[in-house]
Amino acid sequence: MTSEPQQFASDNYSGICPEAWAAMEEANHGHAPAYGDDLWTARASDAFRTLFETDCEVFFAFNGTAANSLALASLCQSYHSVICSDAAHVETDECGAPEFFSNGSKLLVAPSEGGKLTPEAIRAVATARSDIHFPKARVVTVTQPTETGQVYELDELRAISAVCRELGLNLHMDGARFANACASLGCSPADMTWRAGVDVLCFGGTKNGMAAGEAILFFNRKLAEDFDYRCKQAGQLASKMRFLSAPWVGMLESGAWLRNAGHGNACARRLQQQIAGLPGLEVMFPVQANAVFVRMVEQRMAALRDRGWRFYTFIGGGARFMFAWDAEPQRVDQLAADLRQIASVAATFIQPRA
Ligand SMILES: *Cc1c(COP(=O)(O)O)cnc(C)c1O
């Protein structure tokens, strides 16, 4: 089967990176105990503990929706609430799974600039009501990097966790692209999580170059009580667990997790640099991870689609481009060239929308 030209509509259009694939293949020799009682799962868990420089509890789930939902459910009771940004994946793209798996814990949405929560916004939501008729705030969830490709600086995370501690809130991090944030800031995973006050992290493997799988890391081990039962009940306990854990060994021990992310980030910057300042195109958010969002009139988007490009517009109405571990720089340049052409040609006859 011939493959189609690369698209940048989503980072999960990509395939499996060689390091993850090799570990899967190595795991595919002979038999091993089921349900996580195998050596690959122990080794992957230890690789996380080494990378994060702490003795955290580690669990594996099939995807990010389950990881986020089960993690959040473990941080609160059904009568509690979870504060998130208005652009958060848990709010906009998980079909109510966090509420479902927590038996009704309500998401409280805070207004945000491109998906970034602030201590002030958290405080305002958490303290707006304290009466018995409203679900009690118990958790804050941040997405690192945000759905718009922005990265929280360490100082910003520390300020958020300080408010959380003051108000008695647990702090969860949706790290579906956690590696991209680490590559962007060049800081250690420990500094970005438990040293900054994060209690639980969902670390995304799928968008980082695996076939499937997310890891849930509890830095506050008390919060992990009975989490294994929660995963099983939710249908997230893999019987052949080694095929969910082995790729993590490949990713973490080889350093591919960070290389892959660094490459995606570099491709995003490569596109941004080539289209910056073009007439009629606006890069909507600071490019700090592997995403570039471009605002343009509908006719230009149609012209871009005519040239064969696929992209989504569900965040903020602009065209979203996401770069994965395998993004081809020449293909990025082709996209930039098409955008340049569309900007120059169309500007002469496309009327701005009234
Ligand atoms: C992709 C993504 C997830 C996980 O999505 P699944 O499709 O359930 O794996 C979670 N959070 C964010 C911010 C994402 O981009």
Side-chain angles (χ1 to χ4, degrees), residues 231-254:
C231 287
K232 172 66 191 184
Q233 186 183 50
Q236 290 291 318
L237 177 62
S239 53
K240 290 189 181 177
M241 181 68 93
R242 64 191 185 281
F243 297 108
L244 217 50
S245 56
W248 280 114
V249 172
M251 300 288 282
L252 300 182
E253 290 186 359
S254 70

Side-chain angles (χ1 to χ4, degrees), residues 60-325:
F60 301 96
F62 290 103
N63 66 22
T65 298
N68 281 337
S69 302
L70 297 175
L72 291 173
S74 74
L75 300 183
C76 57
Q77 300 289 335
S78 59
Y79 46 83
H80 286 140
S81 54
V82 176
I83 298 171
C84 66
S85 103
D86 50 6
H89 196 272
V90 292
E91 159 70 8
T92 64
D93 291 292
E94 298 190 355
C95 196
E99 295 92 333
F100 177 76
F101 282 111
S102 62
N103 286 314
S105 304
K106 188 176 169 66
L107 293 182
L108 301 182
V109 171
S112 70
E113 195 76 47
K116 251 188 180 184
L117 282 177
T118 61
E120 297 71 37
I122 291 166
R123 184 185 298 281
V125 173
T127 59
R129 291 273 297 269
S130 59
D131 57 274
I132 195 76
H133 305 284
F134 197 70
K136 188 177 179 186
R138 175 47 59 87
V139 186
V140 169
T141 175
V142 293
T143 310
Q144 174 75 322
T146 66
E147 290 72 9
T148 59
Q150 297 179 76
V151 175
Y152 287 93
E153 301 280 342
L154 296 188
D155 282 348
E156 294 177 306
L157 290 173
R158 291 183 195 122
I160 285 172
S161 78
V163 172
C164 289
R165 272 194 302 277
E166 182 196 326
L167 300 176
L169 308 169
N170 291 316
L171 183 55
H172 165 262
M173 180 178 278
D174 174 354
R177 300 185 182 89
F178 181 77
N180 298 89
C182 286
S184 177
L185 289 188
C187 70
S188 78
D191 283 346
M192 207 189 287
T193 54
W194 61 273
R195 283 201 197 109
V198 173
D199 295 301
V200 181
L201 167 70
C202 294
F203 189 141
T206 311
K207 287 167 183 157
N208 196 210
M210 288 168 37
E214 320 276 302
I216 303 132
L217 276 55
F218 286 83
F219 305 110
N220 180 343
R221 296 176 64 108
K222 280 201 303 286
L223 296 170
E225 196 183 332
D226 292 342
F227 193 74
D228 44 354
Y229 289 88
R230 199 182 282 285
C231 287
K232 172 66 191 184
Q233 186 183 50
Q236 290 291 318
L237 177 62
S239 53
K240 290 189 181 177
M241 181 68 93
R242 64 191 185 281
F243 297 108
L244 217 50
S245 56
W248 280 114
V249 172
M251 300 288 282
L252 300 182
E253 290 186 359
S254 70
W257 71 279
L258 193 59
R259 275 196 304 279
N260 288 353
H263 176 78
N265 292 357
C267 287
R269 284 197 307 275
R270 188 182 180 107
L271 177 68
Q272 184 226 345
Q273 280 160 7
Q274 294 184 69
I275 65 171
L278 289 177
L281 303 184
E282 183 201 345
V283 176
M284 295 165 64
F285 304 103
V287 176
Q288 297 170 342
N290 64 330
V292 182
F293 289 75
V294 189
R295 200 193 314 279
M296 61 190 117
V297 294
E298 193 55 55
Q299 294 92 321
R300 284 200 173 96
M301 293 216 253
L304 200 55
R305 288 197 182 94
D306 283 348
R307 284 165 171 73
W309 292 100
R310 284 193 221 155
F311 50 86
Y312 297 107
T313 58
F314 65 95
I315 296 176
R320 185 189 77 161
F321 300 102
M322 306 288 313
F323 302 93
W325 65 274

